[in-house]
């Protein structure tokens, strides 16, 4: 079974600074996808960024980027120029790219609560 | 606009009563999912459905039931057998495998259920 571990239950960062959230996962699969979801106080889950395991290049989305280390099974999220609106729970998630199934089930970490301080 | 709706946002029930949470999507997605979220626990899968009239148990299905009579709808019933029903419930959907974004799940706004 796949597992996703987020070792930082809570973090804080000053506005405009950079912060990195950690995520490790365990799988025997070679083809999979990794995601970071954001859940602000409204509790709406929002996809921040995704990474395909077969791609060596780290994904970036504006101020958000990942450091994907496949051998180490590590998938950290870096937020640059932190803004007050980045305050949220952040969840790391994993799914295998098994094409035989009719859907792709996500396995989530327990989340990291990020507070951006003015 | 396409999306997922869940109603109501807040739901209160007395212990021993069954309650049904609504989830509707107009994204034309085949797969739909129900998750439960508790503080410090992340999201845990309750049930999922890949097509109409078919669904499978997730990791924590005990005390819950679902139906999938229409592609757009995937209601979740929390039965009196669920020992700790108070939680935040999230519904999600995803496109068919092989289509754009098929590995991603799109979430509704959630329903907070409180049972006393």
């Amino acid at each position: 079974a796949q597992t996703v571990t987020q070792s930082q239950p809570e973090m804080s960062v000053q506005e405009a600074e950079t912060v990195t959230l950690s995520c490790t996962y365990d799988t025997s699969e070679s083809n999979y996808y990794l995601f970071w979801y954001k859940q602000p106080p409204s509790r709406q889950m929002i996809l921040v960024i995704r990474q395909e395991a077969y791609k060596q290049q780290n994904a970036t989305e504006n101020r958000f980027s990942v450091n994907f280390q496949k051998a180490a099974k590590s998938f950290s999220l870096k937020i640059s120029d932190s803004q007050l609106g980045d305050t949220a729970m952040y969840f790391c998630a994993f799914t295998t790219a098994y094409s035989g199934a009719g859907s792709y089930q996500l396995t989530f970490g327990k989340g990291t609560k990020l507070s951006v301080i003015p | 606009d396409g999306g997922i709706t869940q109603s109501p946002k807040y739901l209160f029930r007395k212990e021993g009563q069954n309650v049904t949470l609504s989830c509707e999507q107009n994204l034309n997605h085949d797969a739909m999912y129900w998750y439960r979220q508790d503080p410090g626990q992340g999201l845990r899968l309750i049930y999922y459905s890949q097509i109409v009239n078919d669904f499978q148990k997730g990791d924590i299905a005990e005390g819950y039931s679902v139906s999938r009579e229409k592609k757009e709808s995937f209601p979740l019933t929390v039965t009196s057998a669920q020992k700790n029903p108070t939680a935040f419930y999230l519904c999600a959907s995803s496109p068919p495998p092989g289509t754009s974004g098929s590995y991603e799940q799109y979430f509704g706004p959630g329903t907070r259920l409180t049972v006393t």
Side-chain angles (χ1 to χ4, degrees):
Chain A
Q2 290 83 14
T3 59
V4 177
T5 302
Q6 294 179 250
S7 59
Q8 305 150 314
E10 293 192 40
M11 295 188 71
S12 63
V13 62
Q14 292 290 136
E15 195 174 5
E17 297 295 308
T18 295
V19 64
T20 299
L21 280 58
S22 300
C23 173
T24 58
Y25 58 94
D26 187 26
T27 183
S28 58
E29 302 289 338
S30 59
N31 194 17
Y32 50 85
Y33 288 74
L34 293 158
F35 306 88
W36 279 98
Y37 279 88
K38 168 185 177 180
Q39 187 180 44
S42 68
R43 306 200 77 171
Q44 174 72 55
M45 292 285 284
I46 302 165
L47 179 65
V48 175
I49 199 166
R50 77 176 217 176
Q51 175 78 43
E52 293 89 343
Y54 63 87
K55 289 186 177 180
Q56 293 185 340
Q57 186 173 5
N58 289 325
T60 62
E61 288 288 342
N62 300 314
R63 298 182 295 107
F64 298 88
S65 62
V66 298
N67 183 5
F68 174 48
Q69 301 290 328
K70 191 172 184 178
K73 296 181 181 176
S74 172
F75 182 61
S76 61
L77 174 70
K78 185 172 81 171
I79 306 174
S80 304
D81 185 25
S82 296
Q83 301 175 359
L84 296 178
D86 295 333
T87 293
M89 284 289 291
Y90 287 82
F91 293 96
C92 180
F94 167 100
T95 188
T96 56
Y98 172 51
S99 61
S103 62
Y104 297 98
Q105 297 177 46
L106 288 175
T107 300
F108 286 87
K110 293 186 177 183
T112 295
K113 183 177 181 181
L114 177 66
S115 299
V116 179
I117 302 167
Chain B
D1 288 338
I4 302 175
T5 58
Q6 292 185 245
S7 61
K9 189 173 180 65
Y10 300 97
L11 191 54
F12 299 88
R13 280 295 183 271
K14 294 291 187 183
E15 191 173 335
Q17 294 179 336
N18 291 354
V19 59
T20 297
L21 282 59
S22 168
C23 177
E24 304 278 335
Q25 55 98 1
N26 61 3
L27 300 168
N28 199 33
H29 288 172
D30 289 320
M32 298 187 73
Y33 313 80
W34 273 106
Y35 293 92
R36 170 180 172 139
Q37 185 178 17
D38 297 284
Q41 291 293 323
L43 277 69
R44 293 181 291 171
L45 183 64
I46 304 172
Y47 268 98
Y48 65 101
S49 169
Q50 298 175 353
I51 57 173
V52 173
N53 293 323
D54 184 62
F55 47 83
Q56 286 79 40
K57 294 181 179 180
D59 301 322
I60 55 166
E62 184 176 352
Y64 299 97
S65 66
V66 294
S67 63
R68 187 84 186 277
E69 298 177 0
K70 298 187 300 181
K71 186 176 184 177
E72 301 80 14
S73 179
F74 190 41
L76 173 74
T77 297
V78 184
T79 74
S80 57
Q82 168 51 232
K83 295 180 180 178
N84 297 296
T86 294
F88 187 65
Y89 292 88
L90 283 159
C91 179
S93 69
S94 62
T99 60
S100 175
S102 61
Y103 298 105
E104 302 170 12
Q105 291 186 14
Y106 300 77
F107 286 83
T111 293
R112 171 67 182 179
L113 173 65
T114 301
V115 176
T116 58

